[in-house]
Amino acid sequence: MGQSHSSQLTSRKGFDTPIDYAEKLYTLNSKDRVLLSFLSPYCTLCTSLRGELDKVKKEREDLKVVEIDSLNRDDWAPELIRYNIEKVPCFVLLNSRGRAIGKTEDPINADFVRNALHALITEKRKIV
């Protein structure tokens, strides 16, 4: 009961912190990419994608996945604003320099999001 709203969100299981994000960016090599996954623990579509994201993490060593709790606006406001995240799930692909090279469109349904995610990580879709 004594915890602040922010600290509860920051420690939510399954999501990265801004420190995790910084560490992943710091350890990139020239061929690595970062996938920013903007999700909400209360979004059924978001939670249904967990298996897909786990599969991506295992199969793509060149892709570092950062799972961002979009409800944690205290810690993630700069990224939410920078990448214009209005609806979740949303994915942004960063190159090895940390620059955005692609972003998924607003979610319509699960199949749409899965296809958009696949197109993004195979770099068939650029920023929309």
Side-chain angles (χ1 to χ4, degrees), residues 10-61:
T10 301
S11 62
R12 194 180 310 255
K13 187 177 183 332
F15 289 96
D16 290 304
T17 67
I19 293 171
D20 298 326
Y21 173 44
E23 287 174 351
K24 289 177 183 181
L25 283 178
Y26 182 74
T27 60
L28 291 177
N29 68 43
S30 63
K31 294 184 180 183
D32 286 342
R33 304 284 185 263
V34 175
L35 179 68
L36 301 180
S37 306
F38 293 90
L39 308 167
S40 168
Y42 303 111
C43 161
T44 10
L45 182 53
C46 296
T47 55
S48 74
L49 294 169
R50 288 283 185 185
E52 196 79 25
L53 287 172
D54 289 341
K55 184 178 173 184
V56 167
K57 288 178 193 176
K58 289 177 188 171
E59 293 177 356
R60 297 284 307 269
E61 291 181 15

Side-chain angles (χ1 to χ4, degrees), residues 64-82:
K64 297 179 189 261
V65 178
V66 178
E67 295 184 48
I68 296 173
D69 180 353
S70 64
L71 297 179
N72 185 349
R73 297 187 186 281
D74 291 341
D75 289 342
W76 291 107
E79 285 74 18
L80 292 164
I81 293 168
R82 172 184 279 162

Side-chain angles (χ1 to χ4, degrees), residues 5-6 12 21 86 102-103:
H5 185 62
S6 175
R12 194 180 310 255
Y21 173 44
E86 295 178 355
K103 178 183 173 187

Side-chain angles (χ1 to χ4, degrees), residues 75-94:
D75 289 342
W76 291 107
E79 285 74 18
L80 292 164
I81 293 168
R82 172 184 279 162
Y83 303 115
N84 193 29
I85 307 302
E86 295 178 355
K87 296 180 182 179
V88 293
C90 186
F91 303 95
V92 177
L93 185 65
L94 308 180

